[in-house]
Amino acid sequence: MGKRLQSATSSAGEIPSEKRIRRNKIICFCNSPRPPFLSAHSTFSWFEEDIWTEIAKFLDGKSLVMLAATNRWFRRAIMDDAIWKFVCLRDLQVPAPQHVTFKWCKLYTSAFDGSHSYMFRQRDKHIDWMRIGAFSFDSSVAVLTEKLNFPGKIRKEDAMEKMLRSHGCCVLDNVKTGIWIADLQLVRCPVCDLNTCDGTMQTLDARHIELFHCEGYQDGSWEYQLVGSHDIKKRADGAAGAIFDVKHLEDSSTSAVFDYKSWIGRPNDWQPKAMIAFHAVAVNTNLQENEGLHVKYHAMRAGTDGEVVAIRISQQLL
């Protein structure tokens, strides 16, 4: 009986095998598939030149220089001339010229580093300036005028003095085609050499984009030459100046310049105003009571008989 009780006790205290916790079973975790771009054998590269070329088109010049300074690879990729050509034309908002002599990186630098022509010469006469913008010469003939209305039919064979008297304009041949930069300069009156002179002169100053890189300009052998001058011997409402590509005088974009009442400001607004088109540039400053203006036209040529590479139209009160 003792054996049966012991047997019964053993049977009652034993846990059925199917209800036991099986501790030897390994818990499995779900493994997500690894993204292809994180795989060791991925073909993606952060140094993908085509991608960075597209990114560069959205950066300004300063950002491009900073990116190029990162390492040698970025310097080689970012300093590609095609990138700087795109950025330069984009920021200047002009069409591409047929040919340039210098690298676009250098052209961009001289166009946007704050340089202007009076920084290199006659610095003592300079007072202030403002950048107007850029325009293009498709032809080699320019019309310079101090009037903002359409000059009408201009005959190149007319003498310079006759054109100045009858139309208030003159014509320049052999102008260097391509991109031109236009500034408005305020300089001290050149009639006297007194530093105490308070007289000022307004100058529409335009130059070819390559001018500052040319040896003849840097060494001072190219100088501004007087093309023509005349006096307006009556009250002038404003001091105006304009430069046109004769080929595009009748273009729709140029007509905005001739619509001067829309941009010169009110008669009592004395701040200088400017208008720029694809192939023209103009400035105007409304004047108070005066006795007239003395107008001068200057041009700089690349050598004695070279192309015109810079133009100035200056006005000073009589």
Side-chain angles (χ1 to χ4, degrees):
M1 182 175 179
K3 291 182 180 180
R4 285 198 297 268
L5 180 61
Q6 184 180 3
S7 177
T9 304
S10 301
S11 299
E14 186 176 356
I15 300 175
S17 59
E18 62 271 11
K19 292 184 180 181
R20 294 175 184 172
I21 298 176
R22 299 180 180 179
R23 299 183 181 277
N24 60 343
K25 184 176 180 180
I26 300 175
I27 299 176
C28 297
F29 296 92
C30 179
N31 293 323
S32 300
R34 187 178 180 85
F37 62 86
L38 294 178
S39 301
H41 61 276
S42 173
T43 58
F44 178 81
S45 172
W46 289 107
F47 297 101
E48 189 67 39
E49 191 164 344
D50 290 342
I51 294 177
W52 284 106
T53 298
E54 290 302 313
I55 294 174
K57 294 179 179 179
F58 295 92
L59 303 179
D60 60 10
K62 183 179 180 180
S63 300
L64 286 173
V65 172
M66 293 174 64
L67 185 59
T70 305
N71 56 39
R72 293 181 180 179
W73 187 91
F74 274 113
R75 177 175 177 79
R76 182 187 63 80
I78 299 302
M79 297 308 292
D80 184 87
D81 214 35
I83 293 177
W84 286 95
K85 177 182 179 180
F86 178 91
V87 173
C88 192
L89 297 177
R90 178 200 66 193
D91 292 353
L92 292 176
Q93 298 182 19
V94 291
Q98 294 183 353
H99 172 73
V100 293
T101 306
F102 301 93
K103 287 186 174 295
W104 282 100
C105 179
K106 290 186 175 182
L107 298 180
Y108 185 95
T109 300
S110 62
F112 292 99
D113 65 354
S115 300
H116 58 83
S117 60
Y118 281 92
M119 289 182 63
F120 302 94
R121 306 178 191 187
Q122 299 177 312
R123 297 186 66 173
D124 57 326
K125 296 291 184 182
H126 190 254
I127 300 173
D128 201 0
W129 74 293
M130 74 173 189
R131 172 61 47 82
I132 301 174
F135 66 105
S136 296
F137 270 107
D138 277 348
S139 73
S140 59
V141 181
V143 177
L144 319 181
T145 177
E146 77 266 12
K147 295 182 178 180
L148 297 178
N149 52 353
F150 188 73
K153 187 175 182 180
I154 300 174
R155 296 190 303 175
K156 292 170 58 178
E157 58 270 18
D158 288 347
M160 185 70 69
E161 292 301 322
K162 182 179 179 181
M163 283 192 290
L164 289 173
R165 289 195 307 269
S166 59
H167 299 289
C169 67
C170 64
V171 176
L172 277 181
D173 286 322
N174 199 22
V175 175
K176 186 175 178 64
T177 58
I179 302 171
W180 282 60
I181 308 294
D183 299 324
L184 179 61
Q185 307 282 0
L186 184 65
V187 297
R188 189 172 291 111
C189 172
V191 174
C192 64
D193 293 326
L194 299 176
N195 291 328
T196 57
C197 176
D198 292 328
T200 56
M201 181 176 69
Q202 171 184 288
T203 300
L204 172 58
D205 185 19
R207 60 177 172 86
H208 194 274
I209 193 173
E210 298 181 6
L211 177 63
F212 291 170
H213 302 281
C214 297
E215 183 179 353
Y217 181 82
Q218 294 176 351
D219 63 20
S221 59
W222 298 354
E223 293 287 350
Y224 284 96
Q225 302 295 328
L226 182 64
V227 176
S229 65
H230 76 116
D231 294 335
I232 303 175
K233 297 181 179 181
K234 60 180 181 179
R235 184 187 185 282
D237 294 329
I243 302 172
F244 300 94
D245 183 343
V246 71
K247 180 181 177 181
H248 297 278
L249 266 176
E250 300 184 22
D251 285 8
S252 58
S253 61
T254 306
S255 63
V257 177
F258 293 123
D259 185 20
Y260 59 91
K261 292 183 179 180
S262 66
W263 61 268
I264 64 173
R266 296 181 178 181
N268 60 349
D269 184 353
W270 315 121
Q271 291 297 318
K273 300 293 190 297
M275 171 63 73
I276 198 159
F278 286 125
H279 305 285
V281 62
V283 297
N284 181 81
T285 302
N286 294 327
L287 299 175
Q288 301 183 31
E289 289 296 326
N290 60 82
E291 298 178 357
L293 289 171
H294 180 60
V295 185
K296 291 183 179 180
Y297 300 92
H298 287 86
M300 177 186 288
R301 294 186 179 273
T304 306
D305 299 317
E307 295 177 307
V308 174
V309 291
I311 297 170
R312 284 178 178 173
I313 303 176
S314 303
Q315 294 108 352
Q316 61 190 92
L317 294 172
L318 292 176

